[in-house]
Amino acid sequence: MQIESLKSCSGCAACANACPKSAISMVPNSEGFLYPKIHSDICIQCGLCDKTCPVLYAKSVDESIQSAEENFTVRASFAVQAIDENIRLKSSSGGIFTCLAEKIIAEGGVIFGAAFDSDLKLSHRSVETSESLEALRGSKYLQSEIGNSYQDVRRFLKEGKKVLFSGTPCQVGGLKAFLKKDFENLFTVDVVCHGVPSPALFEKYVQEHSHGAQGRPVKTAFRRKDDGWKLFSLSFAYANESEYRQTLDKDKYMQLFLKDHGLREGCYQCKFRGDNHVADITLADFWGIGNILPEMDDDKGTSLVIVQTEKGAKFFDSCKDSFLSAPVNMREAVKYNPSYFTCKKRSPLRNKFYEDFENSSIDFLFRRFGKSSLKQRTKRFVKRGVKKAFQTFLGKKGLEQLKKKMRG
């Protein structure tokens, strides 16, 4: 069985869902990432797990990038903002996921996505009402547990229900490999993925924020926009209504995540890039929007939508009454989202990071692995100081007008 020794395993759990004897469990390794474990006393040596694994049969990274470069013209790209400002402010970027999901729910369908439970464990679940969508909304910077979600998706599809499945590119790849055929009532959405850190790293962070009268956090959000979309915040809410909130440049977990030391081993050689995005629609933050469509750069969030299939194009068009959109050149748009094509380079400190991980606090890991260089901190400090000075002198509207003149 190749899957048990597969270093590039993405943890998608397609093998576990496909096993006819339930002989495969997804078990955390010493770093906290889930990997398949085959129970030899139950296994019947059918080989279905290897045949289902999307990593084993995906194009190489180089092949997928070359193929995507050659097929730029078959994709359509858009800058998107939900018309409902409340949806946009509660979303990580422009609110497009909610717009797509609401359409499926209105037609009696089911939505699958990652959600935290009351103990802040992240796993995939299904929802069938608009009220339940909030749990699925927003980015989560760790790996979700798929569980039996692929089996549940297949059951709903065979019942004739429309299903929207959202996840990382490898999770959508896992679903497609598990199903082994296309369903007209299945719509898939993936994201431009940075790579996933360990759930055990996030649990360590949660534990370090569990103390005193506050107790353990009961809710978290990774993309609060209190200080704007570009300077988003991670927050914890407590039962006593107190809150921790810190911007991404100062939050220790976010800084460790962005340094790439703690990503899953397979993320450094991820095959689900470029042309290996198998979802109907790919979503991302449109970080370069100010350089391409400055009129959509209001710091409340804008989504980059890459429509990759004919089914995805029809689905996207059917939802247009719920969002504002503008076509953009994909080649220009993905300049600001390089993870669409490329993997993060394996950090030379990764081995040391996980050697220290088990017996070290987040504070120690941050001091050793998470701090920016003096040059980076100085550059950020100067940039903010200049922006604050101009805003004080010109006012917010004046600053925006100056930006537009400089771009023009």
Side-chain angles (χ1 to χ4, degrees):
M1 304 297 176
Q2 296 182 65
I3 61 165
E4 264 198 316
S5 59
L6 190 64
K7 290 184 179 179
S8 56
C9 170
S10 67
C12 75
C15 56
N17 276 262
C19 181
K21 295 296 182 180
S22 300
I24 301 175
S25 300
M26 298 301 293
V27 178
N29 68 357
S30 61
E31 300 170 352
F33 293 105
L34 295 177
Y35 283 85
K37 176 179 175 56
I38 299 175
H39 303 280
S40 57
D41 57 326
I42 305 175
C43 176
I44 59 173
Q45 303 289 321
C46 67
L48 189 57
C49 53
D50 285 348
K51 293 175 184 176
T52 303
C53 176
V55 173
L56 286 174
Y57 298 102
K59 295 176 187 173
S60 71
V61 177
D62 290 341
E63 286 177 323
S64 69
I65 290 173
Q66 180 181 352
S67 181
E69 286 278 5
E70 292 169 353
N71 290 296
F72 259 121
T73 55
V74 305
R75 293 171 173 79
S77 303
F78 302 88
V80 177
Q81 295 175 346
I83 292 173
D84 188 328
E85 283 282 291
N86 188 48
I87 288 175
R88 190 152 67 108
L89 290 173
K90 288 182 177 180
S91 302
S92 293
S93 47
I96 179 61
F97 168 73
T98 300
C99 297
L100 300 176
E102 290 279 14
K103 178 71 173 178
I104 295 294
I105 288 174
E107 296 175 356
V110 185
I111 314 299
F112 282 81
F116 285 103
D117 64 16
S118 58
D119 203 32
L120 297 188
K121 307 295 184 184
L122 187 67
S123 61
H124 259 61
R125 71 169 69 160
S126 63
V127 303
E128 300 182 56
T129 65
S130 297
E131 293 74 26
S132 303
L133 264 182
E134 183 178 357
L136 308 188
R137 187 185 291 129
S139 301
K140 286 94 174 177
Y141 295 119
L142 66 154
Q143 187 169 36
S144 65
E145 185 172 350
I146 285 292
N148 295 323
S149 290
Y150 299 157
Q151 297 176 14
D152 295 336
V153 168
R154 182 174 60 187
R155 175 170 53 84
F156 282 122
L157 291 172
K158 287 185 175 181
E159 290 174 0
K161 288 195 172 186
K162 286 188 176 181
V163 173
L164 174 63
F165 182 92
S166 64
T168 59
C170 60
Q171 289 173 333
V172 175
L175 173 64
K176 293 290 187 76
F178 167 79
L179 292 174
K180 291 185 168 52
K181 70 172 187 176
D182 190 28
F183 286 80
E184 282 302 310
N185 49 331
L186 173 65
F187 302 88
T188 53
V189 170
D190 70 5
V191 294
V192 172
C193 181
H194 178 100
V196 291
S198 167
L201 178 64
F202 183 67
E203 172 58 23
K204 186 183 285 284
Y205 197 45
V206 171
Q207 289 179 5
E208 292 195 16
H209 278 271
S210 305
H211 46 73
Q214 290 177 314
R216 186 178 171 90
V218 295
K219 190 176 181 181
T220 187
F222 288 85
R223 297 291 299 274
R224 289 273 297 272
K225 296 179 180 177
D226 303 67
D227 297 291
W229 170 52
K230 298 181 183 73
L231 192 63
F232 58 83
S233 306
L234 184 150
S235 69
F236 289 120
Y238 297 86
N240 67 358
E241 298 185 358
S242 61
E243 180 186 77
Y244 162 86
R245 182 175 64 82
Q246 188 56 272
T247 52
L248 76 133
D249 59 325
K250 296 178 182 177
D251 180 80
K252 294 174 183 177
Y253 180 83
M254 288 303 303
Q255 285 301 299
L256 286 171
F257 165 60
L258 293 170
K259 293 296 183 292
D260 302 330
H261 306 312
L263 302 183
R264 188 182 181 98
E265 193 68 69
C267 292
Y268 302 112
Q269 47 186 319
C270 174
K271 292 186 177 181
F272 301 93
R273 308 280 172 174
D275 211 36
N276 279 356
H277 280 269
V278 296
D280 297 306
I281 296 173
T282 293
L283 308 181
D285 289 284
F286 207 141
W287 292 126
I289 190 65
N291 298 319
I292 298 175
L293 289 171
E295 62 272 21
M296 294 185 76
D297 184 17
D298 59 2
D299 206 24
K300 295 179 182 179
T302 304
S303 297
L304 170 62
V305 176
I306 302 172
V307 178
Q308 303 197 127
T309 67
E310 185 177 345
K311 182 198 289 187
K314 290 178 180 178
F315 179 38
F316 181 74
D317 287 342
S318 73
C319 302
K320 280 191 171 179
D321 60 347
S322 61
F323 56 76
L324 303 173
S325 67
V328 294
N329 181 288
M330 181 175 170
R331 194 179 295 275
E332 288 297 311
V334 296
K335 285 181 182 178
Y336 306 94
N337 287 278
S339 292
Y340 179 80
F341 281 121
T342 59
C343 311
K344 293 298 176 181
K345 291 184 179 179
R346 191 182 190 280
S347 167
L349 297 176
R350 187 188 187 280
N351 289 349
K352 185 59 180 171
F353 178 87
Y354 276 112
E355 283 175 15
D356 293 349
F357 169 72
E358 186 174 357
N359 299 312
S360 301
S361 67
I362 288 288
D363 186 61
F364 174 85
L365 293 171
F366 173 70
R367 283 187 280 109
R368 187 159 191 179
F369 300 101
K371 286 192 173 182
S372 301
S373 67
L374 178 61
K375 182 179 179 180
Q376 289 172 321
R377 294 198 302 271
T378 302
K379 183 178 179 180
R380 192 161 53 231
F381 177 80
V382 171
K383 185 177 180 181
R384 284 186 190 167
V386 170
K387 180 179 178 181
K388 187 174 182 181
F390 270 106
Q391 187 164 321
T392 300
F393 181 72
L394 298 171
K396 192 171 183 179
K397 288 185 177 179
L399 181 60
E400 291 302 317
Q401 290 173 351
L402 177 62
K403 283 182 181 179
K404 288 180 180 179
K405 287 181 181 179
M406 291 176 70
R407 293 186 193 113

